[in-house]
Amino acid sequence: MSTVVVHPIHRAVRFYEAPIGKKAVMAATGVILVGYVFAHLLGNLQIYSSDAQQINRYAAFLHNPANAVALWAARSALLAAVVLHIVAATQLWLQNRAARPQGYVKKKDVPASYAARTMVWSGPIVAAFIVFHIMHLTMGSVLPVRDIGLNPNTPDVRWNVIAGFQNPAVAGFYIFAMILLCMHLYHGIWSLFQSLGVNHPRYTPWIQKASAALAILVAVGNCSIPIAVLSGLLTY
Ligand code: HEM
């Protein structure tokens, strides 16, 4: 009798080829991205500190050459998570579309909420926002940015953010992107639980409420910054 040994790599590839494999990749990378968005929100909210230099000191700490390895490791992990999330989402979308029978009109099973239907375009717009955002505040290629000149790269984050949001078009784009991010996070977080098989009439409504609360928290926290600048409450 001969036994067929399936190599673990082949098993992983076969798992990924099925929709559940792509959903697992989206869920795992989604957890990393949600974690980053929360950590980043906590960093951003330091702009409200009574110590005006607090957010700049935080940025100087992140950019300190002594932390370069950790910073680049985190950036690489984040970039890999973004790429895998987008690739799995696109493949899943194409797979679902190919499997959809002709004349198929309305989907009644999984959450057909507004947020669910907008995933397909809220995702690409949030991705475009991230590219614009990095060009704006990290690379300084959209608007002029300042440096406080402590070590080779210590951005004057407080000035860069406030000067950027004094431009209503920039502030408006950020607010628009945050609203889309909110819908994307709401649907994404609760779909993650569905992918993990957590689907119970008792818990699902709570999971939906918790997902909405987290998504709204991120949107309100981030939107408050351009709004505070536009209304003159936050000045340099
Ligand atoms: C009003 C909202 C936001 C503000 C004020 C803000 C602020 C900033 C600032 C100042 C930087 C540059 C930091 C530095 O060079 O030290 C930055 C980088 C970045 N932000 Fe945001 N951010 C906001 C929202 C977001 C959101 C919603 C996302 C993701 C969906 C995001 C993703 C990133 C990424 C990926 C970087 C690059 C990090 C790096 O250079 O390593 N940001 N943000």
Side-chain angles (χ1 to χ4, degrees):
M1 198 176 85
S2 69
T3 45
V4 179
V5 180
V6 182
H7 195 279
I9 293 181
H10 290 160
R11 219 179 303 153
V13 169
R14 239 189 262 161
F15 175 67
Y16 181 76
E17 276 169 356
I20 184 67
K22 294 179 189 66
K23 284 185 185 178
V25 169
M26 291 196 65
T29 52
V31 168
I32 296 172
L33 297 173
V34 170
Y36 173 77
V37 166
F38 272 97
H40 191 38
L41 172 67
L42 295 180
N44 292 343
L45 292 177
Q46 294 180 47
I47 203 159
Y48 294 118
S49 167
S50 54
D51 173 359
Q53 288 308 311
Q54 170 59 36
I55 197 161
N56 286 347
R57 268 201 304 274
Y58 172 63
F61 165 76
L62 294 180
H63 288 279
N64 190 315
N67 299 327
V69 174
L71 178 67
W72 281 101
R75 281 175 165 170
S76 310
L78 206 56
L79 182 64
V82 169
V83 171
L84 289 173
H85 197 77
I86 294 174
V87 168
T90 310
Q91 290 181 333
L92 197 59
W93 182 73
L94 291 172
Q95 208 169 26
N96 284 344
R97 208 180 55 157
R100 196 172 294 169
Q102 287 285 318
Y104 180 94
V105 184
K106 213 170 178 187
K107 198 172 166 189
K108 287 210 173 95
D109 48 354
V110 238
S113 68
Y114 188 66
R117 282 181 278 121
T118 57
M119 284 313 258
V120 72
W121 54 268
S122 63
I125 297 176
V126 169
F129 159 77
I130 295 171
V131 173
F132 172 85
H133 178 54
I134 291 177
M135 288 172 69
H136 171 207
L137 289 169
T138 304
M139 295 161 66
S141 40
V142 173
L143 290 169
V145 286
R146 282 193 193 171
D147 194 282
I148 51 175
L150 276 183
N151 68 33
N153 180 11
T154 45
D156 189 344
V157 170
R158 190 179 165 88
W159 189 89
N160 297 341
V161 168
I162 294 175
F165 291 159
Q166 278 169 348
N167 179 331
V170 173
F173 179 52
Y174 268 76
I175 294 169
F176 170 66
M178 291 311 116
I179 293 168
L180 291 187
L181 176 67
C182 176
M183 297 194 309
H184 199 85
L185 283 179
Y186 163 61
H187 180 71
I189 298 172
W190 105 263
S191 301
L192 191 154
F193 285 92
Q194 301 272 298
S195 304
L196 293 176
V198 185
N199 194 357
H200 188 282
R202 195 142 135 219
Y203 306 120
T204 300
W206 286 103
I207 292 172
Q208 274 179 295
K209 282 187 189 127
S211 308
L214 292 176
I216 291 170
L217 190 75
V218 169
V220 170
N222 277 333
C223 284
S224 73
I225 302 173
I227 291 171
V229 173
L230 283 180
S231 58
L233 289 172
L234 193 61
T235 52
Y236 189 67

